[in-house]
Amino acid sequence: MGHRSRVRTLAVVAAGALMASLLTGGGAAAASPPTPGGPGAGDPYYPSYGNSGYDVQAYDLGIRYNPGSGLLHGRARILARATKDLSDFHLDLVGFTVRSVTVDGTAATWTRDPHELVVHPAAALPREHRFAVVVRYDGVPEPFRDPRSGKPVGGFLRTPDGGIAVGEPEVAAQWFPVDDHPKDKATYRITLTVPRQFEALSNGLSAPRTVRGNWATTTWRLRDPAASYLAFVAIGHFTVHRWRTADGLPVIDAIDSGITGSLRRRIESSLARQGDIIAAESSWFGPYPFEAAGAVIDQVDVGFALENQTRPTYVSTFWGNPDRPTRGDDVVVHELAHQWFGDSVALRRWQDIWLNEGFATYAEWLWYEREHSFTPQEIFDHNYDLNTADAPLWTVRVGDPGPDRQFDKAVYLRGAMTLQALRVAVGSADFFRILRTWAHDRRNGHGTTPQFIALAERISGKSLGSLFDAWLFTTTKPPRPAVTSVQRTGATTATGTARTAQVEAAMDRWTAGLQERVSENAR
Ligand code: ARG
Ligand code: ZN
């Protein structure tokens, strides 16, 4: 049927349904025909990411990857629930040849659009119906390239010894069919089959690997639901270290075997601190939200670390400079803090990204205080003074930075400064109560900026609209919060010019480290 006549038919049917519902007074009697799900989740930053009309509960992914040929064979089993009467629905998928699709065991047809796999089930899916989609696909997975620079910044990236799927927000659709938006969290089982001489890492905990002929299979499971960009795979030659923190949390670390010597030792010494870091963060934010932790350090040319659920990925360049022995610790503190803020409490809209990056950056400040006894207020003051009224930091509305500035330095730094301004306004006791309540009440869920502001107002009993407005939604430098000297330096520390010099040197190091880390984020 031609496009026009189909549109006209639908219009007639819709008009008929409207008439019927008017005549019967609406309600269940007026059965409207099932309609297609939408190709996006309604996020203005990324209109084609995610979909509408259904909600995914679980992904069961079977991935076979051959580092030699770069070829990936995938089988994705997706359990979902229709949120309306669905005639067709979209998944996000970039590249690959789709070989077959079934819905509830019955063959379905499909069409492709850039970024989309549109599934046409044999029978419509009634609202509330739970259904299983199985997609078989294969091909050489692709990186996501920055539209302007053409540089690979996410997706599936080849490495010298394999590949890694990592990125934010662009990654999931480059390796499996997915409802690719953090608002649709789901559980994951990821079964990886690779030539037996390779390691295959992913989220959560794994069953012992099985070997059949030249191939080895490892099944990874995440107990708690995750946003799609936080699922990852890394395949290659790794030294894998399984251990437990003093609190008994299982940790799985994997360092690329090509990383050796003092660089490897610096990385290992940071990773050995994960138990201490998680303990410190648990004391600030409440219990660690997941069943496992760990790290993957791979040789891949992206400038960022990523907070994959339970197991962040890092690039070795974070430990590349021996003059800055603590710098690697900072980024581990940052990615582990995301397990509370970003992973367990996820975004519902990408514009709220400061709820991830500002909070994880603030955790670095708390760690700095614990390690070096420089206070968050001192780091705040240093950066407040460094950035004069005309500095770029103040031109970004960090509460709605726009997709091009989603990972701008301001989202990290002004985001963390927002939290310090909040702390000064409500006092430390209420401030930590707010953070812990946020992490507790929204554990394994979502939060938005207005919800965070409402919680802060409820707990403090203060009206905070103008504070958040100045820090998150203006393009001018906010007024300096009024602090007492005890708030500024803490009760225990020395004062005087020697301390001032030390503070300035330490602050310069932290600020330079942040600058280096976010410099690759511009896109
Ligand atoms: N969430 C990452 C972090 O912890 C940043 C990812 C940046 N992504 C990007 N495509 N530049 O800082
Ligand atoms: Zn971050």
Side-chain angles (χ1 to χ4, degrees), residues 425-470:
V426 303
S428 291
D430 275 357
F431 174 72
F432 285 103
R433 211 168 286 139
I434 291 163
L435 294 188
R436 278 196 290 272
T437 305
W438 182 248
H440 174 272
D441 290 1
R442 296 182 181 278
R443 179 167 173 221
N444 284 329
H446 298 89
T448 64
T449 300
Q451 289 169 335
F452 182 74
I453 296 172
L455 176 69
E457 292 190 327
R458 179 165 69 73
I459 287 182
S460 68
K462 293 197 155 82
S463 161
L464 299 165
S466 56
L467 180 149
F468 282 108
D469 214 48

Side-chain angles (χ1 to χ4, degrees), residues 153 168 304-307 334-335 338 357 407 412 520-521 523:
V153 292
E168 181 181 6
F304 57 85
L306 192 72
E307 61 268 23
H334 181 106
E335 303 311 329
H338 275 309
E357 302 307 342
F407 297 102
Y412 292 70
E520 301 271 346
N521 281 355
R523 34 185 298 176

Side-chain angles (χ1 to χ4, degrees), residues 386-431:
L386 201 64
N387 290 279
T388 51
D390 57 349
L393 190 69
W394 313 118
T395 64
V396 181
R397 298 170 78 230
V398 298
D400 190 6
D404 292 342
R405 294 189 156 191
Q406 194 180 347
F407 297 102
D408 191 281
K409 177 181 171 183
V411 172
Y412 292 70
L413 182 53
R414 193 170 165 180
M417 294 174 91
T418 303
L419 288 177
Q420 181 60 21
L422 172 65
R423 182 171 175 177
V424 170
V426 303
S428 291
D430 275 357
F431 174 72

